[in-house]
Each structure stands twice: as structure tokens, then as C-alpha cells.
Amino acid sequence: METKKTYSFFYRNGLSLVFLGLFIVSLGMQCFTGWKVHNEELLKANLPTLGFMQYFSTGHFISATFENFESEFLQMAMYVMLTVGLRQWGAAESKKLGEAEDVDREPQPGPNAPYPVRKGGWLLKFYQSSLSISFALLFFASWAIHFYGSWKKHNTEQSFDGMPMDTAGAYFVMPEFWFETFQNWQSEFLSVLAIVFFTIFLRQKGSPESKPVDAPHSKTGKS
């Protein structure tokens, strides 16, 4: 009788664990350096500095953090949704041209299928689009928190200069918030364009994001 091979927890989850670790370290360094920068700004304005934990409630931290979350979730939401119907000749990140794909088949409620598939009805309808819905909700939530943080940061800077505070409605139509927004969005769109285009002609052996090294440039899709 063949023994089923077992793998360590890290081997089975290494990709998510490594990225989680990188995220925690990067966020920690952002918090620490952002706290230092904000306290320097306060000192220049002859205002008392903040403790490290106090910094997390400032617009400086909230805006910088969720501005980046927002753009990443936008990228993921649009990537998931647009790759359903759009194609790119030769790209590993595209579905094949004119061929049926496994991801397009109707879900079958087998014994190992996820619960929503076995349940069917409205739950299955939701589950079929749950990935894009989740990314879209995360995007809108991050966008709203980014706006709040940016508005709060703006009014803090206004107070440094002895200027009046602006309402949320007034700030919403100012170019400052939209400049922050679009400078992040355009970078995310560029990064997706880069990976879609580069996978036509370039390869990375062993990566599921690349076509096989010996695949012709015209081959569309990973498999």
C-alpha cells in the first residue's frame, strides 16, 4: 500500500508565509520611519512630538498606509475582472485565444467541491464572483480610509500654518487627494501592463507566472 507523502507546514504554505513576513517587516519599518518623519515635522512647527502608539491615529500614518493598500486592491480587482473577458496574444497572464478554458466551465457539485458549489442557488452565484467582489470591497474600504487619513493630514498641515480647517466635502474636490490617488493607480496599471507584456517574450524557469522556457512567443496562457 502506497503511503501518502506528507509535507511540512512551511512547505505547504511557504509562499503566503514569506509574503506575510515581508509585509509585517515592511509595515513595521514604515511605521517607525513615518513616526520619525512626522515628529520632525511637529518639531519644525514648534509643536509637541507624539509617542509611537499615538502616531497610528494620525492622518500621516492612515493616509500613507491605506493609499498603498487602495492601489494594490484596485490592481487585483481589475486584473481578476478584466482577464475574464480580455485576451493578450502570447501572454502567460491571458486565457487562450478562441479556446475553452477550465475556469469557464460550469461548477460541478462533487463531494470535494467547496460548500457553496454543493449548496447551489444564490450562494453559488455569489461564490462564482467572490474573488473580484472581495478585492473590490477591500479597494473601496481602503479608498475611503485613505481619503479620511489624507483629509486629516491636510488639516494638520493647515494648523501648522495657522490656516482654517477644510471640511471633508471641500477637501474632496481639491487636487491634493486626487494627486495622491492617481500617482498610485498609474503605477499599478503600469506594473500589470509590464507583466502581461513581458511574459510574451521573457521566461522564468520554474515560475507559474511564466510560460515554459521553450514555449514559442505566440503561445497564449501558461499551459
Side-chain angles (χ1 to χ4, degrees):
M1 182 176 180
E2 186 177 347
T3 304
K4 187 177 181 181
K5 190 172 182 179
T6 58
Y7 298 99
S8 68
F9 179 79
F10 181 81
Y11 186 87
R12 289 182 285 115
N13 302 281
L15 192 59
S16 57
L17 289 173
V18 167
F19 272 103
L20 177 61
L22 290 170
F23 166 72
I24 291 171
V25 171
S26 300
L27 181 61
M29 292 306 298
Q30 177 206 319
C31 294
F32 179 75
T33 53
W35 170 54
K36 291 289 188 182
V37 168
H38 190 54
N39 274 342
E40 287 175 4
E41 294 172 348
L42 292 172
L43 286 172
K44 289 177 182 177
N46 296 315
L47 294 171
T49 58
L50 300 175
F52 185 63
M53 297 306 294
Q54 291 176 296
Y55 173 67
F56 292 101
S57 64
T58 65
H60 191 276
F61 168 76
I62 296 170
S63 176
T65 302
F66 285 91
E67 177 183 344
N68 287 297
F69 288 1
E70 162 200 327
S71 59
E72 298 300 331
F73 291 135
L74 173 67
Q75 179 200 79
M76 291 295 99
M78 294 197 68
Y79 185 73
V80 169
M81 289 187 286
L82 291 178
T83 52
V84 172
L86 301 181
R87 307 288 188 274
Q88 173 56 55
W89 172 90
E93 297 297 316
S94 168
K95 292 198 291 187
K96 295 180 178 65
L97 306 178
E99 293 184 32
E101 293 274 350
D102 193 47
V103 293
D104 292 320
R105 63 178 173 78
E106 290 300 314
Q108 301 299 315
N112 295 321
Y115 175 75
V117 178
R118 290 182 277 116
K119 183 69 174 176
W122 70 268
L123 193 58
L124 175 58
K125 288 289 185 183
F126 174 81
Y127 190 66
Q128 288 181 140
S129 302
S130 58
L131 186 60
S132 57
I133 291 171
S134 296
F135 280 128
L137 290 175
L138 287 168
F139 161 69
F140 285 115
S142 298
W143 181 85
I145 298 172
H146 165 216
F147 171 74
Y148 169 75
S150 185
W151 170 51
K152 191 172 182 180
K153 176 174 174 282
H154 168 79
N155 278 338
T156 298
E157 292 171 350
Q158 290 285 94
S159 68
F160 289 171
D161 300 326
M163 302 288 287
M165 304 293 101
D166 289 307
T167 65
Y171 182 67
F172 186 78
V173 297
M174 292 180 181
E176 181 179 341
F177 170 68
W178 293 104
F179 171 70
E180 293 175 355
T181 297
F182 286 116
Q183 71 176 340
N184 277 276
W185 289 9
Q186 55 85 15
S187 66
E188 299 304 328
F189 297 147
L190 178 62
S191 67
V192 173
L193 172 63
I195 193 169
V196 168
F197 181 77
F198 287 161
T199 59
I200 299 174
F201 306 104
L202 305 180
R203 308 288 187 270
Q204 180 59 55
K205 184 179 179 182
S207 173
E209 297 306 309
S210 169
K211 294 186 290 189
V213 176
D214 58 357
H217 296 327
S218 61
K219 181 180 178 62
T220 305
K222 296 185 179 74
S223 58

